[in-house]
């Protein structure tokens, strides 16, 4: 019987230059480079969120991948969400975010569909992320999981999507 091998954050740091991967419960998941549509969505969302927070005088940080998030107090979990919004500054240091961000956005790529919709959904919920968005450009759809309210809603691109962690803030992806 084959013994399952577990990896640690040290294995992620030992990857060859330019190779990216995430670590969830000791399993390595390699990542392909994002395409232009993915990057366009990431930039648009980051700018919208940043603009809102700046206008509202908020103290949250918006960080885009590649940015390390250590979800648990262990060395078996390391993810790089497409966008992380962190409101507790004490979680941040030069290595990344230690603990769950308040809001995570993942933009689905052809190779990340199962990870984003299943593996990360469960992991982010159990780690204490308050809100999780799965932006799916292929389906022109956004799944919004408001974990604190135990609510999941689906929105099409072109509709106003309320941001649960900020009252009165909505994002419309238009025809992105």
């Amino acid at each position: 019987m084959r013994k399952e091998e577990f990896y640690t954050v040290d294995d992620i740091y030992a990857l060859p230059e330019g190779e990216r991967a995430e670590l969830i419960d000791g399993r390595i998941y390699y990542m392909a480079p994002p395409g232009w549509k993915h990057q366009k969505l990431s930039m648009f969302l980051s700018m919208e969120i940043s603009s809102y927070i700046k206008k509202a005088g908020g103290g949250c940080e918006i960080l885009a991948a590649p940015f390390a998030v250590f979800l648990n107090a262990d060395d078996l979990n390391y993810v790089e969400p497409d966008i992380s919004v962190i409101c507790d500054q004490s979680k941040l240091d030069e290595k990344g975010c230690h603990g769950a961000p308040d809001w995570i956005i993942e933009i689905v790529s052809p190779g990340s569909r199962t990870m984003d919709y299943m593996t990360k959904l469960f992991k982010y919920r159990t780690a204490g992320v308050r809100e999780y968005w799965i932006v799916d450009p292929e389906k022109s759809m956004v799944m919004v999981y408001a974990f604190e309210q135990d609510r999941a809603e689906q929105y099409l691109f072109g509709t106003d999507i309320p941001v649960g962690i900020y009252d009165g803030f909505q994002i419309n992806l238009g025809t992105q």
Side-chain angles (χ1 to χ4, degrees):
M1 192 167 175
R2 189 173 160 259
K3 183 181 172 192
E4 187 173 353
E5 189 169 353
F6 284 93
Y7 297 93
T8 69
V9 171
D10 289 338
D11 295 306
I12 294 292
Y13 287 134
L15 290 173
E17 184 72 30
E19 194 166 322
R20 289 181 53 214
E22 294 178 305
L23 181 69
I24 298 178
D25 297 329
R27 291 190 61 201
I28 288 184
Y29 297 90
Y30 293 93
M31 300 185 309
W36 76 269
K37 192 167 192 171
H38 182 282
Q39 290 301 91
K40 182 180 171 185
L41 280 164
S42 180
M43 285 293 296
F44 175 81
L45 286 162
S46 295
M47 289 175 15
E48 289 288 303
I49 297 164
S50 179
S51 176
Y52 175 81
I53 290 172
K54 187 179 278 187
K55 283 181 197 168
C60 300
E61 293 288 335
I62 302 97
L63 298 152
F67 178 73
V69 174
F70 305 93
L71 288 171
N72 304 98
D74 62 28
D75 65 347
L76 300 176
N77 290 279
Y78 167 102
V79 293
E80 292 184 5
D82 290 312
I83 299 171
S84 300
V85 177
I86 300 121
C87 300
D88 180 354
Q89 303 287 322
S90 70
K91 292 181 179 181
L92 296 170
D93 68 16
E94 284 303 311
K95 287 192 172 209
C97 176
H98 300 271
D102 294 272
W103 181 16
I104 287 179
I105 299 173
E106 294 285 7
I107 302 165
V108 178
S109 299
S112 73
R113 188 165 296 285
T114 300
M115 279 290 290
D116 295 337
Y117 278 103
M118 296 174 71
T119 307
K120 287 184 176 179
L121 171 63
F122 175 77
K123 194 66 188 173
Y124 292 158
R125 180 184 186 109
T126 58
V129 172
R130 294 171 57 202
E131 187 163 344
Y132 175 41
W133 285 23
I134 303 173
V135 178
D136 194 328
E138 187 178 299
K139 296 180 178 180
S140 296
M141 180 191 81
V142 179
M143 283 300 304
V144 175
Y145 295 92
F147 295 135
E148 291 177 319
Q149 291 80 33
D150 201 26
R151 192 177 71 242
E153 296 181 89
Q154 179 178 312
Y155 298 89
L156 295 175
F157 283 22
T159 59
D160 291 338
I161 305 169
V163 177
I165 67 166
Y166 296 114
D167 288 335
F169 178 34
Q170 298 182 355
I171 296 177
N172 189 320
L173 292 172
T175 58
Q176 298 294 315

